[in-house]
């Protein structure tokens, strides 16, 4: 058996926002797929959330504070994002890095040693920062790779001693080279998403399974934002628009939102589907002609993989603003500034199906549904 087929891959993420975890899970899922010829999985993979190996105080500060900041004070987060990116390398960014380096990582390093990986893939800069120090001090003896999970590059991702970097786009790769990363260490793969988004999904079958009309124009609303209001308010505004369309609203784990949306469905029988947390997002996307979503790197990559035009709303200042800019520049999304502009853009696209079709074709051209497999190919030495 060729040596690379038995390699062990450790994937490190951080539960600050869902995207880093989902990218790690996607790589893990692809690693577990059967090799051609049916001789076992591509690799033995394990996924670890680094937040499980830090102090409760640091975990609360790093994850809870981040979530509260982006939800309650997004402008402040945007300032911090840009300030740390633009800071001199010997300035505030280095103070942040020195604070990270002071973390007691013995428990994490013990887990790494016990698993004895052949390679490590980091989907967040925090574990990459920790392992950069370990490599510098000869405490680690395996290759470490970095997967950037947005259509932008922040300098916190740029580290010494990394074996390679995975970029979402050619522009991100260019920015990596501009920051001094060697050309041969950069690979443009896209952002890893789950294998389900690479499958050929039948719209009619998916729609019928959810009680939807596969022939009717379908809009998928994924989450709300402070700039647009609550999900039920957004949904009610959309349902008042003229036009023969149906609306799917994903409330996730927000039980209060789901209750209000369920009550709203009684006013629009057969036209409004309220859905709580589901593991079948890709099947709901397969029913849709248009998605309304926040521009996170993972969600928008999923939309691109399925050729779904987007209206992006309430981007978090910083990485999500950069994601939105990329999507708008590529002609696969429009941007809604508030509820009125959202309703206007939905009406416009429903009235101009030819524009919706052009956006769909551009999204399909940009999509990288097998990004995780390409990442594994590089790490395992068998490019896909």
């Amino acid at each position: 058996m060729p040596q690379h087929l038995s390699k062990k891959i450790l994937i490190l993420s951080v539960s600050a926002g869902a995207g880093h975890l989902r990218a790690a899970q996607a790589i893990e899922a692809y690693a577990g797929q059967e090799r051609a010829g049916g001789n076992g999985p591509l690799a033995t993979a394990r996924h670890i959330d680094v937040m499980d190996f830090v102090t409760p105080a640091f975990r609360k500060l790093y994850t809870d504070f981040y979530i509260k900041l982006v939800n309650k004070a997004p402008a402040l987060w945007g300032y911090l994002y840009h300030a740390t990116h633009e800071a001199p390398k010997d300035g505030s960014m280095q103070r942040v890095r020195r604070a990270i380096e002071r973390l007691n990582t013995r428990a994490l390093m013990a887990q790494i040693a016990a698993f004895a990986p052949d390679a490590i893939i980091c989907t967040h800069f925090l574990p990459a920062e920790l392992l950069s120090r370990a490599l510098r001090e000869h405490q680690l003896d395996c290759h470490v790779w970095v997967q950037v999970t947005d259509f932008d590059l922040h300098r916190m991702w740029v580290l010494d001693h990394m074996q390679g970097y995975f970029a979402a786009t050619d522009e991100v790769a260019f920015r990596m080279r501009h920051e001094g990363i060697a050309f041969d260490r950069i690979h443009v793969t896209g952002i890893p998403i789950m294998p389900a988004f690479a499958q050929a999904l039948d719209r009619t079958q998916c729609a019928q399974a959810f009680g939807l009309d596969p022939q009717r124009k379908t809009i998928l609303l994924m989450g709300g934002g402070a700039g647009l209001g609550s999900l039920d308010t957004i949904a009610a505004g959309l349902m008042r628009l003229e036009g023969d369309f149906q609306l799917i609203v994903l409330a996730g784990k927000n039980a209060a939102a789901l209750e209000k949306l369920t009550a709203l469905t009684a006013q629009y029988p057969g036209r409004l589907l309220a859905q709580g947390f589901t593991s079948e997002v890709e099947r709901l996307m397969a029913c849709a002609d248009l998605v309304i979503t926040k521009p996170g790197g993972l969600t928008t990559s999923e939309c691109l993989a399925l050729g779904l035009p987007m209206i992006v709303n309430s981007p978090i200042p910083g990485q999500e603003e950069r994601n939105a800019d990329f999507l708008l520049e590529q002609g696969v999304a429009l941007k809604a500034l508030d509820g009125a502009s959202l309703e206007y853009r939905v009406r416009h696209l429903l009235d101009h199906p030819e524009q919706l079709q052009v956006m769909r074709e551009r999204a399909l051209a940009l999509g990288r549904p097998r990004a995780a497999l390409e990442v594994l190919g590089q790490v395992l030495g068998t490019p896909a």
Side-chain angles (χ1 to χ4, degrees), residues 330-347:
Q330 298 300 318
V332 299
L334 303 179
K335 182 179 179 180
L337 300 175
D338 53 28
S341 65
L342 173 64
E343 294 175 17
Y344 174 84
R345 281 157 176 73
V346 169
R347 185 194 299 270

Side-chain angles (χ1 to χ4, degrees), residues 78-93 152-156 175 178-179 322:
Y79 168 79
L80 293 172
Y81 183 90
H82 293 290
T84 52
H85 176 74
E86 298 296 336
K89 291 188 177 182
D90 59 350
S92 61
M93 188 164 65
D152 184 37
L153 178 70
H154 191 285
R155 282 183 181 167
M156 290 294 285
R175 291 173 66 85
H178 190 264
E179 293 294 334
R322 302 288 180 88

